[in-house]
Amino acid sequence: VMNQNGLMPLHGTPYLGSTINLLKTSKIIKTYNAFKGTQLKLILMFENKQEVLFKPKWYLESDIIEGNVYAGKDRYNGEIIAFYISLILGFPRVPIVVKRILDASELHETANVGLKKTMYINSTTKETCVYGKCYYCKHEDPVCTKSERLEGAAIFHLPSNIKLKQHLHPWRRTYIENKRARWEDDNNYCDSVKSNYSSERVLDFIDASIFDFLIGNGDRHRYEVVEQFNNTILLIDNGKSFGNPYKDHIDILAPLYQCCIIRLKTWERLKSIKGGTFTSILQTMLDIHETLSLLTLPHYHALERRLKIIYATVVMCQRKSDKSILK
């Protein structure tokens, strides 16, 4: 259902519910390590040869991740919630994500040779542990089943005919302690971005910053575009979200407050979910497709609070400007 506007039609599609259901229930015939990236991920292959990426659950939903904006491992629930929030915001740019539970016997039966080499049974708990193959993966830091079940996020793998091109994000962080990026200190940084990117792309960065600020994701160092479809930006890899509901990383919004423009349709959509509507729609969606316990109450409060901060930022921009900031 992909087109130049994103990964699915904005007004919903009858296929969405059935695709979600297929991702949750399809029989897995093969499981193997996904080698790319810094963290443990598996690839699950279904009977129809469709592949999905599986990110395991490392934390309890109530855990609070302390530290910098990109601290900790990926949050499986963040990937799932980010998918629903992208639909609410009218940014259908996140691949479909569902909660999927693998049981230990399924893992042992479907694991290929490479994955089996990175699996073992904990002699004390008798649980199955996997440490995988990735940049940070090591034997002494595995993820293990709980009561012989491994929960995680199953992320729809885009078809191989969709060619993604990765680019460095102009508002990326340095990932070096005590070394700041130029945008963190230069309030005119947007001018240089505008001279290197089309106005549509700058508006894409601003849409993405609004999405990322809401979910608390300060880790978008790259962005993917689909070349066949008008170079549409996709919002892939949202695992560093929902780490700390008591902290708002305002600098994620830098593209918005440094450029001080916003798409009219984004602004209209944001205004349409005010006054608690945002989280009540989210809860309805989770109630139908997932479980409300994927997100704790403090995170729902954080979403509403961050939405108000976005409103305030747009109002501040409009006050500063003598012409309309709506594009």
Side-chain angles (χ1 to χ4, degrees):
V1 282
M2 173 140 196
N3 61 27
Q4 63 265 30
N5 299 316
L7 295 176
M8 63 202 70
L10 253 186
H11 306 292
T13 158
Y15 301 117
L16 185 57
S18 53
T19 307
I20 287 171
N21 200 34
L22 280 172
L23 289 180
K24 282 175 169 291
T25 58
S26 289
K27 184 175 159 58
I28 298 164
I29 57 165
K30 197 164 134 194
T31 311
Y32 40 101
N33 281 312
F35 296 99
K36 268 184 171 167
T38 56
Q39 297 191 49
L40 165 62
K41 297 189 282 284
L42 303 178
I43 293 187
L44 316 177
M45 186 191 273
F46 295 152
E47 275 182 308
N48 65 356
K49 300 288 192 280
Q50 169 68 45
E51 291 181 329
V52 299
L53 196 61
F54 181 81
K55 288 191 176 185
K57 173 179 178 170
W58 291 95
Y59 304 104
L60 295 172
E61 285 74 7
S62 55
D63 285 350
I64 289 172
I65 314 299
E66 300 290 354
N68 63 32
V69 68
Y70 47 82
K73 293 187 166 83
D74 280 353
R75 273 72 80 178
Y76 91 103
N77 59 327
E79 290 281 7
I80 301 167
I81 307 287
F83 164 64
Y84 287 100
I85 288 178
S86 72
L87 298 183
I88 296 170
L89 294 178
F91 303 156
R93 301 171 185 279
V94 178
I96 298 174
V97 190
V98 304
K99 179 172 175 165
R100 177 94 198 207
I101 300 167
L102 308 180
D103 59 62
S105 59
E106 196 173 24
L107 262 173
H108 288 285
E109 284 160 21
T110 61
N112 74 348
V113 177
L115 177 57
K116 280 192 170 133
K117 283 182 181 159
T118 69
M119 277 165 65
Y120 60 90
I121 291 178
N122 181 307
S123 51
T124 323
T125 63
K126 300 288 181 274
E127 297 286 359
T128 299
C129 298
V130 183
Y131 58 91
K133 262 204 156 38
C134 68
Y135 187 76
Y136 290 124
C137 290
K138 43 189 193 296
H139 187 278
E140 55 277 16
D141 186 24
V143 68
C144 300
T145 55
K146 303 243 175 351
S147 313
E148 305 223 326
R149 287 152 58 95
L150 184 61
E151 292 180 37
I155 304 166
F156 188 80
H157 235 341
L158 295 173
S160 53
N161 63 327
I162 292 180
K163 295 280 173 275
L164 294 186
K165 203 162 182 198
Q166 259 196 1
H167 300 280
L168 287 172
H169 195 301
W171 274 275
R172 68 189 174 277
R173 296 165 196 276
T174 64
Y175 296 89
I176 300 164
E177 224 170 309
N178 303 324
K179 184 173 188 235
R180 287 165 71 79
R182 192 182 133 200
W183 63 267
E184 294 180 90
D185 297 312
D186 178 0
N187 278 329
N188 298 318
Y189 183 72
C190 186
D191 294 338
S192 69
V193 175
K194 281 177 173 167
S195 62
N196 289 314
Y197 295 89
S198 71
S199 56
E200 282 300 302
R201 184 59 84 225
V202 175
L203 289 164
D204 285 341
F205 293 142
I206 291 162
D207 280 352
S209 76
I210 288 167
F211 171 74
D212 283 332
F213 176 66
L214 284 169
I215 66 175
N217 172 27
D219 193 36
R220 200 166 299 283
H221 43 93
R222 292 196 170 86
Y223 65 96
E224 277 88 5
V225 300
V226 185
E227 288 183 304
Q228 299 111 295
F229 294 110
N230 212 3
N231 282 327
T232 300
I233 274 196
L234 297 187
L235 300 167
I236 290 176
D237 196 2
N238 303 305
K240 290 288 178 79
S241 55
F242 299 101
N244 188 339
Y246 303 108
K247 204 166 175 188
D248 300 326
H249 295 278
I250 303 288
D251 65 351
I252 300 174
L253 275 182
L256 174 62
Y257 62 70
Q258 288 180 349
C259 299
C260 265
I261 50 172
I262 183 172
R263 277 198 174 100
L264 173 63
K265 69 173 189 223
T266 302
W267 180 233
E268 294 294 337
R269 181 64 78 122
L270 288 169
K271 284 193 299 186
S272 75
I273 54 171
K274 65 177 185 285
T277 308
F278 179 28
T279 49
S280 86
I281 297 172
L282 179 61
Q283 284 177 316
T284 304
M285 288 173 136
L286 292 180
D287 205 19
I288 294 168
H289 295 296
E290 293 292 347
T291 154
L292 288 176
S293 59
L294 270 184
L295 211 54
T296 59
L297 201 55
H299 281 296
Y300 284 111
H301 293 325
L303 286 169
E304 291 293 346
R305 183 180 69 241
R306 290 169 190 160
L307 186 57
K308 290 189 181 110
I309 292 169
I310 294 165
Y311 293 152
T313 308
V314 173
V315 170
M316 175 201 76
C317 281
Q318 191 56 80
R319 283 189 183 148
K320 276 193 341 193
S321 173
D322 46 7
K323 51 184 192 293
S324 172
I325 63 163
L326 303 174
K327 301 293 170 203

